[in-house]
Amino acid sequence: MRAHVPASPAPAALTGVVERIIFLNEENHYTIAEFRPDGAEGSAKPEPVTIVGVLPGVECGETLHLSGEWTRHSQHGAQFKIAAFRSELPASVYGIRKYLGSGLVPGIGRVYANKIVDAFGTDTFRVLSEESAKLRSVPGIGRKRAAAIKLAWDGKRTERELYIFLQTYGVSPGQCVKLVKQYGAQAKAVLTTEPYRVAREIEGIGFKTADRIAINLGFANDAPPRLEAGILFAMESLQEEGHTAYNEAMLRDLAAGMLDSSADLVAARIEALVAARQLVRHAPAAAGTPLPGAGLVQLPINDRAERRIADVVLRLSRVASGLPPVKVEAAIEWAQKRAGFEFHELQRGALRNALGHKLSVLTGGPGTGKTSILRALVEILKAKGVRVHLAAPTGRAAQRLAETTGGYASTIHRLLKYDRSAGFTANEAHPLATDFLIVDEVSMLDTRLASALFQAVPARAHLLLVGDTDQLPSVGAGNVLQDLITASGAPVMRLSVIFRQEGQSGIVTSAHAINSGDTSMPQVASDVSAVQPASDLTFIVADSAEDCVRKVVRLCTEFIPRNYGRIDPIADVQVMAPMHKGFAGVANLNMELQGALNAGSRGLRTQAGEFRPGDKVIQLRNNYDKNLFNGDIGVITSADADAGQIEAEFDGDRHVFTRGEMGDLALAYAISIHKSQGSEYPVVIVLLLKAHFMMLQRNLLYTAVTRGRRKVFIVGEPAAYAMAVRNRESKLRVTHLREKLAPAPTA
């Protein structure tokens, strides 16, 4: 029998002893533990309950005072979700024995824990702290082992005291973990003297958290460190919105409002940051120059990245081509014969640009012949003995580029050979050994990655940038492709004639209709049962988020297996949603689809849910040690709950993930539309509801539809489709790259 669980999720409190730690994420200290609550005096010993939450430094045997609420897990039943806790060292012999025997102090295992507690009983902790020399009286503990135990015990005690101090000032347990990991025993000193430093140096602890701590510590509202930290936080927030630069006056007003301070005081601190080179100021462009405008400020890292891009563009224009002589028109005729059809004049123009110019841009939507021209270009270059390299931002985009051109393609990160200690090893000093670099899906390139890539291009090489300007912009800051088209002076060829399936593809024609602002619906079905299997794009009407999710699950579990036997509903189908939160968001969709498609196997429980063998997963950040990158998709091959690790396969390579690394993974039955950039899937299912109104833009819908290779299903509300098509105003990104690319005015 388990402990009584209240019916409502009202705030509750528990006091008791940690009996067993079931799961511990060593990175963020998220813990699942068996906990025995204290009982009323004279009553029967209460049954243990499950507690979940962040518990840094907590070990078996400790007494915890918990506050939080009761929740119910769909598989594991009642759980107490911890909001805050206070811990005490155990006072009983039983608790002390369990605490020391848990392995928290190196040199004390279960055997030595029993010996020490047998010798000192409830006085054990005082002996460890104040009279550690007495440890040598315990059989088997000599001078060396006693010194090691004392050192480890003192370190553990300091860590506990630090956690107590930090939580006094409103620092959450998860943030305590990060502070201790970064600063060790100095965390208290850093926090009390330089609280805003933590916002700059620790990922996940932003200005708002540091500001709350600082104000609790008594820092003044208009203290210069606070204002400067707030200005830099505002710049970093603008960077997360895609800007690499910002108007100085607008930044001043934005920061003043955020900091509840005066514009004059903020302006003075901007001046100080410029003087300290923590901000870069650009004077307004003069009237009559190509790009007049107000003065901008930038973070130095973005200024450097843009300068490097502009420098490479200039270098490519000044250094002669290293290609062997090519009779361009003859080469085009030769490539046409090999292709078996005549190229359109726009396609011929793209080949002329690529062969005749060191830097050129090729852009166009789906079905306009980009693939045919890239294949022809690679064949021409290989016939001439030219060293050709092909790259794309994601693994899937690189794989597709290789399949369509017949050449070898890699991700940009793999091409540039990242080394943890030295960064990208291919750079300006050690350029790529190539004569011609073709980069696809350039709309995904943010400023910093573009800078690293451009620097590695040899001075005599050609660089062809291929992308679709109508897709979503890069997730990272910048607007590289559009800025290069506008201001680099490189020739640009826009392919606009649809060739794929002679214009009959519903996916292609709908994508171009979306782009042109046509709100007329594709083929509409009132229910999954009314969908025509032969149609390659269908809109399935749903009247609520719940109805939407139900129909997505039916598509994956019933309609697709029944009508397309060779399509695997896990490997070949990709569900996408505009947002992560909400009933029709990515997080809930993954839970629903995991339950529907992979319910049988038992896996490993984590903070985010459960990973099971057979689950589709996505890598969330670049891991250069594993050669895995943000957006890579794989499948879990095994899960070992006892060892606390899983194994997953990505593109034929198997990787082991320990508990501390599992935060890098998420289920990928459903992903955000932004995460789908650069990839194509046999079948795509897109959710579209009016509740997603904040994200509904033309380029978002266009990107989602163009991810589907064979079938696209849009499930949702027709009004949401029209809202997305009509909203063509993606937020303007402010950069300084165009100014850097613009030629200096002549005297």
Side-chain angles (χ1 to χ4, degrees):
M1 175 179 169
R2 308 294 279 180
H4 170 70
V5 179
S8 71
L14 279 181
T15 296
V17 175
V18 178
E19 289 282 317
R20 182 168 66 96
I21 292 176
I22 300 167
F23 169 80
L24 170 65
N25 183 321
E26 292 165 3
E27 284 289 307
N28 60 16
H29 288 230
Y30 180 84
T31 305
I32 302 171
E34 189 177 279
F35 184 78
R36 190 179 297 276
D38 291 345
E41 197 166 330
S43 64
K45 195 175 185 181
E47 290 295 319
V49 299
T50 301
I51 60 173
V52 298
V54 178
L55 293 173
V58 169
E59 303 290 344
C60 291
E62 285 191 58
T63 295
L64 299 184
H65 302 271
L66 307 175
S67 61
E69 64 180 20
W70 287 101
T71 62
R72 183 167 292 279
H73 190 277
S74 57
Q75 285 187 301
H76 304 288
Q79 299 179 336
F80 188 83
K81 187 176 180 182
I82 301 161
F85 79 98
R86 178 169 58 84
S87 69
E88 295 175 2
L89 288 174
S92 68
V93 168
Y94 168 79
I96 294 169
R97 199 182 299 278
K98 199 171 190 66
Y99 183 75
L100 282 185
S102 64
L104 82 157
V105 180
I108 304 181
R110 189 169 297 171
V111 172
Y112 279 108
N114 286 333
K115 288 182 179 181
I116 291 169
V117 177
D118 287 344
F120 305 116
T122 56
D123 209 25
T124 295
F125 292 150
R126 190 190 63 77
V127 169
L128 287 170
S129 298
E130 300 171 12
E131 298 182 73
S132 59
K134 287 185 176 180
L135 289 171
R136 294 171 63 182
S137 66
V138 176
I141 298 181
R143 182 174 57 81
K144 203 169 181 181
R145 187 185 291 269
I149 290 171
K150 169 64 173 170
L151 186 66
W153 174 256
D154 286 347
K156 191 71 182 175
R157 186 178 61 180
T158 300
E159 186 178 290
R160 287 175 57 84
E161 290 170 353
L162 190 56
Y163 284 134
I164 292 167
F165 166 80
L166 293 173
Q167 289 187 63
T168 302
Y169 287 99
V171 183
S172 73
Q175 290 163 344
C176 287
V177 173
K178 292 180 178 179
L179 284 164
V180 173
K181 190 174 180 182
Q182 177 81 8
Y183 303 119
Q186 297 302 309
K188 181 177 179 180
V190 170
L191 200 63
T192 51
T193 58
E194 302 177 89
Y196 294 103
R197 177 178 160 192
V198 303
R200 297 194 306 271
E201 296 180 355
I202 302 182
E203 186 179 353
I205 299 185
F207 169 79
K208 290 181 180 177
T209 301
D211 195 38
R212 187 184 70 244
I213 295 166
I215 287 173
N216 283 341
L217 287 165
F219 273 69
N221 192 60
D222 290 333
R226 177 176 187 266
L227 298 183
E228 290 177 11
I231 292 163
L232 294 175
F233 170 71
M235 284 298 291
E236 287 160 4
S237 300
L238 291 164
Q239 180 178 264
E240 288 173 8
E241 293 178 17
H243 307 294
T244 64
Y246 212 65
N247 176 277
E248 184 173 338
M250 293 172 68
L251 171 66
R252 178 200 64 206
D253 294 343
L254 175 71
M258 181 189 79
L259 293 163
D260 192 22
S261 184
S262 75
D264 288 344
L265 286 172
V266 170
R269 299 332 302 167
I270 290 176
E271 197 70 45
L273 289 169
V274 170
R277 298 184 181 179
Q278 290 182 270
L279 283 179
V280 177
R281 173 187 281 142
H282 301 288
T289 57
L291 291 163
L296 301 176
V297 288
Q298 289 188 282
L299 294 170
I301 192 169
N302 291 327
D303 177 61
R304 287 193 298 271
E306 290 181 346
R307 286 188 189 282
R308 287 167 179 159
I309 294 170
D311 289 346
V312 173
V313 170
L314 181 62
R315 184 178 73 209
L316 290 173
S317 70
R318 289 180 172 175
V319 179
S321 169
L323 294 187
V326 179
K327 294 179 180 177
V328 174
E329 296 307 321
I332 292 172
E333 294 299 327
W334 175 81
Q336 281 185 154
K337 288 177 184 174
R338 288 178 64 85
F341 62 90
E342 187 173 342
F343 298 153
H344 187 275
E345 182 53 34
L346 293 176
Q347 294 174 303
R348 295 169 69 93
L351 286 171
R352 291 189 194 102
N353 284 348
L355 294 168
H357 296 268
K358 298 279 296 306
L359 174 64
S360 60
V361 178
L362 173 61
T363 182
T368 57
K370 292 198 304 290
T371 296
S372 300
I373 289 314
L374 291 179
R375 187 186 304 117
L377 177 61
V378 170
E379 288 179 347
I380 291 169
L381 294 171
K382 284 185 173 179
K384 284 289 184 178
V386 173
R387 295 174 299 174
V388 185
H389 282 71
L390 301 106
T394 67
R396 292 209 167 201
Q399 183 180 353
R400 193 174 73 248
L401 183 61
E403 290 168 354
T404 55
T405 62
Y408 172 76
S410 69
T411 63
I412 293 169
H413 287 88
R414 290 187 179 102
L415 179 73
L416 300 181
K417 296 175 183 146
Y418 186 85
D419 179 84
R420 174 182 277 183
S421 58
F424 290 118
T425 56
N427 50 42
E428 194 166 12
H430 303 93
L432 297 165
T434 189
D435 301 313
F436 205 115
L437 176 60
I438 300 170
V439 186
D440 198 8
E441 297 288 354
V442 178
S443 62
M444 295 179 65
L445 269 188
D446 62 55
T447 300
R448 295 186 198 175
L449 185 56
S451 173
L453 176 68
F454 274 51
Q455 287 179 81
V457 178
R460 291 170 59 81
H462 283 230
L463 175 60
L464 172 61
L465 304 174
V466 185
D468 186 344
T469 55
D470 295 313
Q471 287 189 31
L472 288 167
S474 58
V475 174
N479 201 11
V480 175
L481 179 59
Q482 200 63 58
D483 285 347
L484 288 168
I485 289 172
T486 303
S488 70
V492 178
M493 182 54 67
R494 299 177 189 270
L495 302 181
S496 55
V497 179
I498 301 174
F499 297 103
R500 191 189 297 182
Q501 295 179 19
E502 299 177 353
Q504 298 306 305
S505 164
I507 295 171
V508 171
T509 53
S510 291
H512 285 274
I514 290 166
N515 236 1
S516 65
D518 183 352
T519 59
S520 57
M521 299 284 290
Q523 189 170 97
V524 177
S526 58
D527 191 66
V528 175
S529 59
V531 173
Q532 299 296 316
S535 174
D536 65 349
L537 192 148
T538 306
F539 191 104
I540 303 169
V541 177
D543 56 20
S544 66
E546 291 75 13
D547 188 35
C548 195
V549 172
R550 276 195 301 273
K551 286 174 176 173
V552 168
V553 171
R554 280 184 60 198
L555 280 170
C556 294
T557 58
E558 300 172 18
F559 182 86
I560 289 170
R562 184 171 65 244
N563 291 284
Y564 316 117
R566 294 185 178 180
I567 289 179
D568 184 324
I570 295 178
D572 299 329
V573 176
Q574 188 57 64
V575 178
M576 300 179 204
M579 300 175 75
H580 283 273
K581 295 181 179 179
F583 194 83
V586 169
N588 186 59
L589 280 164
N590 272 313
M591 288 181 59
E592 296 284 343
L593 289 165
Q594 183 191 47
L597 296 170
N598 192 24
S601 55
R602 286 193 62 191
L604 180 66
R605 292 174 67 191
T606 72
Q607 180 179 0
E610 186 172 13
F611 288 126
R612 303 170 184 167
D615 278 340
K616 182 161 67 171
V617 289
I618 186 168
Q619 177 78 10
L620 297 177
R621 71 172 186 91
N622 294 337
N623 185 323
Y624 298 101
D625 293 333
K626 284 184 164 58
N627 213 21
L628 289 175
F629 302 97
N630 187 359
D632 286 352
I633 287 182
V635 62
I636 294 176
T637 52
S638 66
D640 187 335
D642 293 330
Q645 65 184 35
I646 59 175
E647 184 182 72
E649 184 176 303
F650 291 79
D651 292 330
D653 296 327
R654 294 201 172 191
H655 303 274
V656 172
F657 294 82
T658 61
R659 283 174 174 160
E661 296 172 316
M662 287 178 205
D664 293 350
L665 294 178
L667 293 175
Y669 297 96
I671 61 175
S672 70
I673 296 171
H674 281 85
K675 283 284 187 189
S676 75
Q677 285 178 268
S679 299
E680 270 191 356
Y681 312 92
V683 177
V684 160
I685 302 173
V686 185
L687 287 85
L688 213 61
L689 294 165
K690 289 185 291 185
H692 299 144
F693 69 93
M694 289 181 66
M695 301 294 292
L696 293 180
Q697 295 176 346
R698 185 181 297 179
N699 58 1
L700 183 95
L701 179 56
Y702 173 83
T703 299
V705 167
T706 55
R707 299 310 90 200
R709 192 159 58 240
R710 291 173 56 186
K711 303 286 179 185
V712 173
F713 302 94
I714 304 173
V715 185
E717 298 167 312
Y721 184 94
M723 287 168 65
V725 174
R726 289 195 190 103
N727 184 12
R728 62 177 301 181
E729 298 300 324
S730 16
K731 196 165 183 182
L732 180 67
R733 292 188 169 195
V734 181
T735 75
H736 195 251
L737 179 56
R738 285 178 294 166
E739 286 86 342
K740 292 180 173 81
L741 289 165
T746 55

